[in-house]
Amino acid sequence: MNDVDRSIAPAEVGHLARAVLDAVGTVVVGKRDALELVLAGILAGGHVLLEDLPGLGKTLTARSFAQALGLDFRRLQFTPDLLPADVTGSFLYDQRNGDFSFRAGPVFTNLLLADEINRTPPKTQSALLEAMQEKQVSVEGVTYKLDEPFHVLATANPIEYEGTYPLPEAQLDRFLLRVSFGYPQHEEEWEVLRRRMGRRREEADIKAVVDAATLRAMQAALEDVVVEDSIGRYIVALTAATREHPSVLVGASPRGSLALLLLARVRAVFGGRDYVVPEDVKSVAAPALAHRITLRPEMWLRRVDPAFVVGEVLEATPAPASGALPSYAAGGPRH
């Protein structure tokens, strides 16, 4: 059996995920909930938008996860003069061979940090679209497949708008979820300083907990996590309710329902289960749906936030019985 064919159980996925989070937590202090969401996005096979103020650990988080997951990592700083070819690569003339050869861009990696993605023009932003959705890039009519796993962790500053290009809805929808870290508590910030003095250098290295092949096996194992019909219908009802909310101009697309499904499966594994309960769905609803909602213009004047809308939708949408287990759950009935 080769590495690609390796199979593991959902219970082992939870164990490995906790080990990865513990490793990343040695560098990124006090952000366990946010780190769990980032890892959930990766395990669910998606891309994550880290939207927060500068200096709160977004870049450090991306690099730390790459190290802990044993992934090839590249960082691309998005700037106003960045061209699509700077992302995907381009054909260059080789004088020795008298022909053009393709030089791969930074998108050919396992984990790409797209730093300050909202600082580059839409044409360059869109260069990531095909890679994020199709796991391939097209250059001069030639299509190149990206090696799996492939994930994009993009950072954006939500406050400073001068010289930025807001991501269009079509590209925001490509991100499985959006995560914010927020400022640390005083003790957490002191712990950051204490650890920096302890290691006597700026860089912090993490030993790999898993490798790329194991990550692919962990992602494949999530397909064995059972989602009962009532939970699936609850997911659909939540997403549909965002389209009918009076404060919303455009609600979440069916891709939002899919994001809820995939992330809820990961949450179930984090909780030591191979089946999803409503609480798993609720815990990821705001990160999975809020960035897919476009509010009516007048709502911005009232300081209504998309996450607030998701909260109202959660309160208004009846959930199935929390303890209900699927009769066809792996391993037979539980008591």
Side-chain angles (χ1 to χ4, degrees):
M1 178 183 295
N2 57 39
D3 288 337
V4 176
D5 295 330
R6 182 192 174 194
S7 62
I8 60 179
E12 187 180 351
V13 175
H15 174 73
L16 292 173
R18 285 188 290 273
V20 169
L21 289 168
D22 290 343
V24 174
T26 63
V27 175
V28 183
V29 180
K31 300 298 179 184
R32 184 77 175 199
D33 290 343
L35 295 178
E36 285 187 0
L37 286 172
V38 174
L39 181 57
I42 294 173
L43 289 177
H47 312 286
V48 182
L49 178 62
L50 305 175
E51 189 175 81
D52 220 325
L53 300 172
L56 295 182
K58 301 185 294 295
T59 302
L60 178 63
T61 295
R63 184 181 298 110
S64 299
F65 269 116
Q67 292 176 344
L69 294 170
L71 300 179
D72 182 37
F73 173 74
R74 294 191 184 183
R75 175 181 179 272
L76 181 59
Q77 182 66 49
F78 280 75
T79 57
D81 60 348
L82 197 72
L83 299 175
D86 296 326
V87 177
T88 60
S90 59
F91 283 92
L92 298 177
Y93 185 71
D94 189 337
Q95 291 184 342
R96 287 179 295 182
N97 298 329
D99 198 1
F100 287 90
S101 60
F102 179 68
R103 179 171 295 180
V107 75
F108 287 85
T109 186
N110 295 134
L111 185 63
L112 174 67
L113 172 60
D115 216 353
E116 295 187 295
I117 191 173
N118 58 337
R119 287 204 172 277
T120 200
K123 186 174 183 179
T124 304
Q125 290 176 0
S126 65
L128 275 179
L129 277 178
E130 183 183 13
M132 292 172 64
Q133 187 65 25
E134 307 295 337
K135 305 295 177 68
Q136 65 182 30
V137 296
S138 298
V139 181
E140 300 292 336
V142 182
T143 299
Y144 298 91
K145 288 285 186 182
L146 300 176
D147 291 335
E148 293 189 5
F150 171 73
H151 302 280
V152 173
L153 267 58
T155 70
N157 184 344
I159 300 298
E160 186 179 351
Y161 295 110
E162 184 176 353
T164 63
Y165 303 83
L167 291 174
E169 287 75 10
Q171 185 149 347
L172 277 174
D173 208 28
R174 290 325 197 263
F175 288 98
L176 198 65
L177 74 167
R178 180 175 60 185
V179 180
S180 296
F181 286 168
Y183 286 113
Q185 301 295 326
H186 288 182
E187 286 301 315
E188 295 171 350
E189 193 163 355
W190 161 239
E191 182 65 16
V192 172
L193 302 182
R194 190 187 67 79
R195 293 186 186 184
R196 169 60 181 85
M197 291 186 292
R199 64 177 179 264
R200 302 176 67 88
R201 60 193 178 93
E202 188 63 32
E203 297 79 12
D205 295 325
I206 298 175
K207 291 185 177 179
V209 177
V210 299
D211 56 17
T214 304
L215 175 59
R216 292 198 302 271
M218 294 169 69
Q219 293 170 335
L222 292 172
E223 297 298 329
D224 294 327
V225 177
V226 178
V227 181
E228 190 187 30
D229 288 352
S230 63
I231 301 292
R233 293 184 180 277
Y234 177 56
I235 289 173
V236 171
L238 284 175
T239 308
T242 66
R243 306 164 196 160
E244 301 165 0
H245 194 280
S247 300
V248 173
L249 183 64
V250 180
S253 70
R255 194 176 280 129
S257 296
L258 182 60
L260 281 180
L261 171 68
L262 298 175
L263 292 169
R265 278 177 159 177
V266 181
R267 276 297 194 186
V269 169
F270 284 176
R273 287 173 278 103
D274 63 354
Y275 58 93
V276 173
V277 297
E279 284 71 21
D280 297 324
V281 179
K282 294 176 182 179
S283 68
V284 297
L289 296 180
H291 66 290
R292 306 175 194 273
I293 294 174
T294 302
L295 296 176
R296 296 185 180 277
E298 62 269 22
M299 293 300 109
W300 293 107
L301 299 177
R302 301 179 189 177
R303 298 185 181 276
V304 175
D305 184 81
F308 176 77
V309 171
V310 175
E312 288 193 334
V313 165
L314 284 172
E315 290 182 3
T317 307
S322 183
L325 304 184
S327 59
Y328 50 92
R334 295 171 174 79
H335 303 284

